[in-house]
Amino acid sequence: MHIFILGSGAREHCLAYYISKSPMVTQLSVWPGNAGTNNWNIPKPESIDVLDWIVSLHVDFVLLGSEDGLVKGYVDYLQKEGVLVLGPNQSGARLEGSKAFAKTFMERHQIPTATSKVFTRQERLEAEAYIEQHPLPIVIKADGLAAGKGVTVAMKREEARQALRQLWEGNVFGAAGDQIVVEGFLKGREVSVFVLTDGKRYCVLPEAMDYKRVGENQQGPNTGGMGAISPVPFYTENVKKYIINKVIEPTILGLQKDGIDYRGFIFIGLMVDGDQASVVEYNVRMGDPETQVVFPRIAEDFLPILLEAAKGELSKTEIQVRPNCAITTVVASAGYPGAYKSGLEIEWPNDMPAGVQLFCSGVTQKGDQKVTSGGRVVSVTAIGKTIEEASILSQETAKKIKFDGAFYRKDIGKIYGD
Ligand code: AMP
Ligand code: GLY
C-alpha cells in the first residue's frame, strides 16, 4: 500500500516511523515533512493545490496530522474524490475548531465539563458583567483555533478583563476570537486520552500527560508541549472506567445522535480530580508531543486498525499495549514559545542508546548539516521499565543535541500534585 502523511512535526515523524514498519506498506510519502522524514519526503509542484495534488498521487490511504486541514474540510474534499482518509469531516472537526460548539455538544450529551457561557462581540456588556460576578479563578477562551494560545486562566479579575480586551480590542486572534467561552476553573491534574473511532465502535489508546509550560515546576507560558509521559500514574482503573462511561461512550453516541460520521482520533484533554474527571477540551487529531509516547507503547501493527477506522469497519475494541514507560523530552530553541532564531547548526549525537528514538520537528537538512527551523526542534523519546529509567535515558540524550540556545525541561516525568 502507498500511504501518504500530511504534516511536518515530530508527531508526523513518529507516525511515519511506526507506520513504515507495517508489512502492508510498500511506499510511504510525507509532505512537507522535515529532516527526520527525509527518507519519505516527496516534493510538491508549486503550481498545484495540495488537495488536488494528493488526489493526483493515487495513494491508498491518507493520514492528516494536524487540526488545520481537518477544520478546513480536507477530509470532505478527499472523500468526495474517492480517497481513503482518516480524520473527521468538517462537521466533526468543530469539536476542536469551535470551543463554543464543543461546550454545547457536551451540555447536550451530559458530558462532565466546566460550567460555561458563550458570548459574541455584540454581547460585550453582558460578558463584562458576567466576568465581574463570576467566582475566581475564571477561564477565558477564544472560540476558534489559536495554536494553543487562546486560553487565559485568570487568578485575578483584572487578568480576565485584560484577556477580554486583548480578544476584542487587540483582536489578537482575529475571527477566532469573535466568540468567547467564559468558563469555571477545574482543579486537578490533566491527562490526555486518545480514542480511535469509526463512528460506531472505538479503541482507547494508551493515555499520556503533556508538560505544557515552558519552564520547570510548571512555570512560564504555555507551549505546544515540552514533553510527555505514558502511562500516567494517576490515571487509575477507576479513573479510566469513569472516563469511558461518562465521557467516551456519551461522546461517540452524541456524535451519532447529532448525525456526525466521525472517523478518526478524538484526543480528550481532561482534568482528573480523585476518581472523577471533567473535559477541558476536545482535539480531533493526535497530540504533539503525546504521539511520541503513545505510539511506542502500541504493541501491534496499528495500520490495519487505522484503515478499518477510516472505512467505518473497526473490528477491535482493544489494542495491545506494552507495559513499559515512554517519556519524550522536547529540545527547543531559545525564546520559544516567543520569537526564536532559525538556521542554527545542530550537533547530532552519533550513536543512540538502545530504547531511544529521535523525532524531528523544527529540523531542516542543509547538505550534510542539520539546522534548526522551528521553536520545538527535536522530541527525544526513551523507553524504560519505569518512568525514572525512561526519564534518565531521555534527558541524557537530549543533553547531546546541541545548538546555540538549545534548552529542554529537566523535570519531564515528575508528577506534580494538586
Ligand atoms: P485548552 O486549549 O482548552 O486545552 O486550554 C489550555 C490549557 O488551559 C489547558 O490545558 C489547561 O491547562 C488550562 N485550562 C483550560 N480550561 C481550564 C479550566 N476550565 N480550568 C482549569 N484549567 C483550564
Ligand atoms: N500537546 C497538545 C496538543 O497537541 O494539542
Side-chain angles (χ1 to χ4, degrees):
M1 289 189 89
H2 183 181
I3 315 291
F4 180 93
I5 298 177
L6 183 71
S8 62
R11 167 183 50 208
E12 287 78 14
H13 183 183
C14 182
L15 289 171
Y17 175 78
Y18 285 100
I19 283 173
S20 72
K21 292 179 182 295
S22 170
M24 293 173 81
V25 176
T26 50
Q27 196 179 344
L28 177 60
S29 299
V30 180
W31 186 85
N34 59 43
T37 54
N38 258 347
N39 287 343
W40 307 300
N41 291 345
I42 54 167
K44 181 182 93 59
E46 262 184 35
S47 52
I48 187 167
D49 166 77
V50 63
L51 291 178
D52 292 333
W53 176 59
I54 295 173
V55 173
S56 76
L57 293 173
H58 298 289
V59 298
D60 298 298
F61 185 46
V62 174
L63 269 168
L64 304 174
S66 91
E67 63 278 17
D68 291 331
L70 297 166
V71 170
K72 284 184 193 147
Y74 280 18
V75 167
D76 310 57
Y77 188 90
L78 291 171
Q79 279 175 343
K80 203 164 63 30
E81 295 295 325
V83 179
L84 183 65
V85 51
L86 182 73
N89 53 28
Q90 199 165 21
S91 156
R94 284 179 298 168
L95 276 186
E96 178 165 359
S98 166
K99 289 188 191 290
F101 174 84
K103 293 303 285 198
T104 51
F105 176 87
M106 286 186 267
E107 274 159 29
R108 195 160 53 244
H109 302 295
Q110 283 103 46
I111 295 165
T113 186
T115 53
S116 69
K117 218 164 151 42
V118 177
F119 297 96
T120 63
R121 280 183 198 268
Q122 289 70 40
E123 294 164 323
R124 174 135 187 195
L125 291 178
E126 290 91 326
E128 282 169 352
Y130 186 77
I131 284 175
E132 289 308 316
Q133 54 76 44
H134 194 286
L136 293 172
I138 180 171
V139 185
I140 316 284
K141 300 183 174 185
D143 172 55
L145 293 183
K149 293 178 189 140
V151 175
T152 302
V153 179
M155 299 317 228
K156 299 192 187 113
R157 216 163 293 282
E158 187 45 33
E159 292 171 50
R161 294 183 195 121
Q162 201 192 333
L164 199 81
R165 281 197 297 271
Q166 276 184 340
L167 285 163
W168 282 344
E169 280 170 31
N171 230 352
V172 280
F173 300 113
D178 280 350
Q179 288 196 100
I180 61 162
V181 178
V182 182
E183 220 176 75
F185 179 77
L186 294 168
K187 68 179 179 66
R189 294 188 283 205
E190 270 181 273
V191 67
S192 303
V193 174
F194 302 91
V195 179
L196 175 68
T197 181
D198 68 350
K200 302 174 281 295
R201 291 156 295 250
Y202 65 88
C203 297
V204 183
L205 276 53
E207 76 286 0
M209 185 172 70
D210 180 14
Y211 290 72
K212 288 182 196 293
R213 300 297 188 110
V214 74
E216 279 139 39
N217 296 313
Q218 317 289 50
Q219 299 298 307
N222 267 336
T223 66
M226 294 296 294
I229 66 168
S230 179
V232 177
F234 56 85
Y235 184 76
T236 59
E237 271 308 309
N238 281 349
V239 172
K240 184 174 177 181
K241 263 190 215 142
Y242 181 92
I243 292 174
I244 288 177
N245 291 331
K246 302 282 186 191
V247 178
I248 298 175
E249 295 268 351
T251 298
I252 304 289
L253 279 174
L255 288 165
Q256 285 173 27
K257 281 184 196 156
D258 290 354
I260 297 172
D261 181 13
Y262 194 110
R263 302 178 189 189
F265 293 109
I266 311 177
F267 156 7
I268 312 172
L270 298 124
M271 200 68 87
V272 176
D273 191 12
D275 279 348
Q276 304 202 336
S278 295
V279 176
V280 176
E281 63 167 349
Y282 285 111
N283 297 301
V284 296
R285 36 125 191 134
M286 286 300 293
D288 186 348
E290 290 92 332
T291 301
Q292 295 91 287
V293 292
V294 169
F295 269 64
R297 296 194 57 224
I298 296 175
E300 58 187 307
D301 182 358
F302 202 40
L303 181 60
I305 308 175
L306 296 175
L307 287 164
E308 284 184 1
K311 289 178 186 160
E313 297 167 359
L314 197 59
S315 62
K316 288 192 176 230
T317 51
E318 294 277 333
I319 53 160
Q320 292 167 34
V321 174
R322 294 198 174 88
N324 54 17
C325 295
I327 291 221
T328 201
T329 303
V330 172
V331 183
S333 301
Y336 176 76
Y340 53 82
K341 283 190 196 151
S342 286
L344 303 170
E345 291 191 356
I346 308 173
E347 197 181 310
W348 211 253
N350 286 329
D351 43 12
M352 213 58 67
V356 177
Q357 187 65 39
L358 302 185
F359 297 113
C360 296
S361 36
V363 184
T364 299
Q365 193 76 36
K366 236 178 153 184
D368 289 342
Q369 182 64 49
K370 287 184 170 59
V371 299
T372 64
S373 55
R376 292 190 291 176
V377 177
V378 184
S379 190
V380 183
T381 294
I383 307 292
K385 284 196 196 71
T386 61
I387 288 187
E388 291 70 29
E389 192 182 298
S391 166
I392 292 168
L393 205 53
S394 173
Q395 299 280 311
E396 280 177 354
T397 313
K399 204 189 298 177
K400 293 184 196 152
I401 296 167
K402 294 181 183 155
F403 53 89
D404 192 18
F407 76 97
Y408 58 92
R409 277 181 65 164
K410 317 264 182 325
D411 60 348
I412 309 299
K414 184 169 172 187
I415 305 299
Y416 289 94
D418 53 320

